[in-house]
Amino acid sequence: MTGLVGPPRAVAVIRDGAEALAAADRLAARFAERAAERDAHRLLPTGELAELSASGLLGITVPRAHGGADVGTAVVAEVFRRLATADPNIAQIPQSHIAYVNVLRHQGTPEQRRFFFAEVLAGRRFGNAQSEAGTGHVQEHRTRLLPHPDGGFVLDGLKHYSTGALFAHWIPVLARDAEDRVVVAYVPADAPGLTVVDDWDGMGQRTTASGSVRLDGVRVPAERVVPHHLTFTGPQLYGAQAQVLHAAIDVGIARDALTDAVAFVRTKSRPWFEAGVERAEEDPLTVQRFGELEISVRAAEALLAEAGRAVDDAAARLAEGGPEASPDEHAASASIAVATAKAFADRTAVDVTSALFEVSGTRSALDRLNLHRHWRNARTHTLHDPVRWKVQHIGRYALTGAPPPRHGLI
């Protein structure tokens, strides 16, 4: 199934972080209006993504030399957090878009950057065809990009969890080349031999359409292939920049769930009879629990903001050089800050979305209210990559200063 995306609308030009955050606020207000309905009936957000493209937000990480705002990671993370507070499905869809813009920033040729950054600024979206099912582990890729006798390359493989592919104009495909090196092939969504299948049936994040991508003899010219394996040969922030957006989505889910819990308790819940009060919001045990939940969400928001600043600081130091610390130390410090934010956001999102029912009472579990979408979204999204391994890396860094590995997931 392809063809769900049309030509992009006229696209706004965002010049700085303040404009990016203002645009995120405008879109979040609109996206929140029907988020519960889209989830309940699995209404794919095709129109909303067109609005997202038209807003200019998908081009905010394009370098200024190519006409973009080139905003820092802290701003990008906050944009995603605000969008996720409205609808975490919509926030998750462009996560790969931002990541594959970064692939081009790291390893693209000048011509590749010129071409693809112009595409992004014109409102065209990158999807992804990265993960594969049935392999030994998440970093194993059976999809192959091999030389074609007539020139260029040919792609064959099957991808799963391809968030954004159904809505994309370009689908970056992670594959291994003839020398078993990881590369990214940027393939147009309507390329012959490429099929996007809308077979995602997860209990949460229902409208991300994170289905499958089949690649049957897809031709790829050499100028559309990027040597992604080179990204991890030295100190890099690619993984931290990708992971902080996942943390932002979790934090957004937690905040939205807590907001809905407040509204429900104040308008629909009854106090427990032993409290001796007239309104649920006056129940001292309910007040105590909301205090605990607010502390958790605020802490998650603070750790997210700190992680974004840490990445920006490391990026500046890596660009400047200097004797005060090695590039490895700058990159490691930023990755650990992001891992810390992600580990805490993971637990907070699951805890708060579960506590929503605890503080709201039996009526909140009614299916027609669809408040359970918050827990389903949190539980599904936090499965993306296990935070228990991030905690391991954080612990080793704290004890011995050992840097985390360079594999793009921390």
Side-chain angles (χ1 to χ4, degrees):
M1 180 187 305
T2 55
L4 289 185
V5 296
R9 307 175 183 178
V11 178
V13 177
I14 290 180
R15 293 168 291 187
D16 55 35
E19 290 187 4
L21 295 175
D25 283 338
R26 288 193 298 272
L27 288 179
R30 288 179 53 79
F31 295 166
E33 293 173 358
R34 298 182 61 209
E37 179 187 1
R38 284 192 297 272
D39 173 89
H41 302 289
R42 199 173 180 269
L43 303 174
L44 298 182
T46 306
E48 287 77 11
L49 288 175
E51 290 185 62
L52 183 62
S53 283
S55 74
L57 281 175
L58 297 184
I60 59 176
T61 60
V62 170
R64 288 189 180 277
H66 291 270
D70 202 9
V71 304
T73 299
V75 171
V76 182
E78 179 60 12
V79 165
F80 272 68
R81 187 196 69 81
R82 295 184 188 191
L83 293 176
T85 301
D87 187 336
N89 293 265
I90 293 175
Q92 187 181 346
I93 290 167
Q95 190 273 341
S96 291
H97 172 95
I98 297 296
Y100 284 106
V101 170
N102 279 340
V103 169
L104 291 162
R105 290 186 62 136
H106 283 287
Q107 302 300 338
T109 65
E111 175 57 27
Q112 286 171 332
R113 292 171 185 162
R114 184 200 65 76
F115 175 80
F116 281 115
F117 290 159
E119 288 286 283
V120 170
L121 293 175
R124 294 181 176 88
R125 296 184 292 275
F126 293 159
N128 97 84
Q130 181 168 305
S131 294
E132 299 182 18
T135 57
H137 54 75
V138 72
Q139 293 286 73
E140 182 181 337
H141 302 288
R142 296 172 180 168
T143 299
R144 290 288 169 173
L145 181 81
L146 301 176
H148 191 277
D150 297 333
F153 299 91
V154 62
L155 263 175
D156 286 285
L158 175 61
K159 298 290 189 175
H160 298 275
Y161 313 120
S162 302
T163 305
L166 193 66
F167 311 103
H169 300 92
W170 290 89
I171 301 179
V173 180
L174 204 64
R176 291 193 176 272
D177 66 10
E179 298 179 41
D180 207 37
R181 302 172 302 185
V182 175
V183 297
V184 175
Y186 287 74
V187 182
D190 59 356
L194 186 153
T195 306
V196 181
V197 184
D198 182 19
D199 57 0
W200 171 243
D201 63 350
M203 68 174 181
Q205 297 296 85
R206 290 175 171 176
T207 63
T208 59
S210 301
S212 305
V213 173
R214 293 181 183 141
L215 304 147
D216 298 311
V218 178
R219 295 292 302 274
V220 182
E223 62 269 22
R224 297 289 181 262
V225 178
V226 178
H228 190 36
H229 59 94
L230 296 178
T231 302
F232 307 105
T233 58
Q236 48 79 36
L237 297 171
Y238 173 83
Q241 289 166 332
Q243 285 292 306
V244 76
L245 302 186
H246 285 302
I249 293 166
D250 294 337
V251 174
I253 292 172
R255 173 55 71 188
D256 193 29
L258 188 55
T259 298
D260 275 359
V262 168
F264 196 94
V265 168
R266 296 190 67 179
T267 61
K268 296 182 175 64
S269 296
R270 297 181 296 178
W272 185 243
F273 70 96
E274 292 178 281
V277 297
E278 295 184 359
R279 298 176 60 81
E281 65 194 78
E282 298 169 343
D283 184 326
L285 298 185
T286 300
V287 171
Q288 176 73 19
R289 191 69 177 110
F290 269 96
E292 294 167 350
L293 296 173
E294 180 68 22
I295 289 168
S296 293
V297 174
R298 288 193 181 211
E301 291 168 343
L303 284 170
L304 177 68
E306 173 58 28
R309 289 191 294 269
V311 175
D312 287 337
D313 180 66
R317 291 177 180 272
L318 288 172
E320 294 169 0
E324 71 282 1
S326 73
D328 274 315
E329 290 172 337
H330 295 317
S333 178
S335 289
I336 292 298
V338 171
T340 302
K342 181 65 173 69
F344 192 83
D346 182 297
R347 183 173 70 241
T348 299
V350 174
D351 288 350
V352 172
T353 55
S354 177
L356 182 157
F357 304 99
E358 170 196 335
V359 296
S360 300
T362 305
R363 186 180 176 189
S364 64
L366 294 176
D367 191 61
R368 66 174 180 269
L369 298 177
N370 200 20
L371 289 173
H372 50 70
R373 75 184 186 280
H374 296 301
W375 182 86
R376 289 187 288 98
N377 288 335
R379 185 65 280 178
T380 300
H381 184 258
T382 55
L383 297 175
H384 187 274
D385 52 292
V387 296
R388 58 187 177 273
W389 276 99
K390 298 184 190 302
V391 174
Q392 285 282 308
H393 299 315
I394 294 166
R396 277 190 285 272
Y397 184 81
L399 280 169
T400 67
R406 299 172 183 165
H407 53 43
L409 293 177
I410 187 169

